Amino acid sequence: MHADEFIIAVHARLVPLYPGIPSHLVLTDEDPSDSWIAHWLSNAEGAAHLTFDSGYQPTERTVAHELGHALHANVGGDPRGFVAQQVDDPVLRSYWVLRGVETLEASVERALLNGGLHGYLPSEAFAEEFASVSLNIPGPNRTWLPQITDAERPRLDAWFRALVRLPP
């Protein structure tokens, strides 16, 4: 299956379950010379603009991660906010309260102490946990946040499903 068809299929499967995800996609290839294999660029006119390295077949998790960024932006957050700005992001703040693991301020401080590295950004943890929950991927968490337990997975899934697009 061509990468675009695969990405569209993952999107089509997740949109009915998570209405906060934009209902349309704009997909473009990108030069694989940067250090990331995929990017969420923006949401516009009901479409999430995602890029993937040309010649790369993404995993379901990678597609869901980028859709997590699109969801975040579509429901009132700003996945592209600078590290220090993420403390004021209403979507991240709500999710951090739900997770109950540490304050969003502590997570932002952790990111700053680690030089603002991509993997320490709260918005990246949000997208990664969305991928894990939406695809029901068990196993080690790919963020610094504690492992999502089987007991809390349904509560997190219900929260992601309840997110809806803000009116324009």
Side-chain angles (χ1 to χ4, degrees):
M1 179 182 290
H2 186 268
D4 284 2
E5 292 170 1
F6 177 78
I7 295 162
I8 290 166
V10 173
H11 175 259
R13 195 172 80 242
L14 294 179
V15 164
L17 302 173
Y18 304 96
I21 296 173
S23 56
H24 297 85
L25 291 174
V26 174
L27 300 174
T28 54
D29 288 339
E30 67 178 14
D31 182 350
S33 63
D34 71 356
S35 56
W36 308 110
I37 56 176
H39 295 93
W40 165 82
L41 297 182
S42 64
N43 290 347
E45 299 177 15
H49 185 181
L50 308 178
T51 66
F52 294 87
D53 284 357
S54 58
Y56 171 73
Q57 177 68 45
T59 64
E60 272 188 316
R61 185 180 205 132
T62 299
V63 175
H65 174 102
E66 298 309 325
L67 290 173
H69 288 308
L71 168 72
H72 181 181
N74 218 33
V75 300
D78 183 5
R80 292 179 295 199
F82 293 110
V83 178
Q85 293 172 321
Q86 291 193 6
V87 75
D88 296 321
D89 186 300
V91 177
L92 293 177
R93 180 161 300 284
S94 178
Y95 187 69
W96 254 245
V97 168
L98 178 72
R99 279 291 263 132
V101 292
E102 67 180 7
T103 66
L104 182 56
E105 288 81 2
S107 291
V108 166
E109 182 66 24
R110 181 191 313 272
L112 290 170
L113 289 172
N114 285 285
L117 293 174
H118 185 77
Y120 285 95
L121 295 173
S123 58
E124 290 301 319
F126 176 91
E128 192 56 38
E129 290 204 346
F130 171 75
S132 175
V133 169
S134 67
L135 299 174
N136 198 25
I137 299 171
N141 200 351
R142 289 178 150 184
T143 74
W144 71 92
L145 296 174
Q147 177 70 33
I148 297 172
T149 66
D150 289 342
E152 73 181 327
R153 192 172 286 277
R155 182 172 53 94
L156 298 177
D157 187 57
W159 186 85
F160 283 123
R161 288 175 188 246
L163 294 173
V164 293
R165 181 174 187 252
L166 294 178

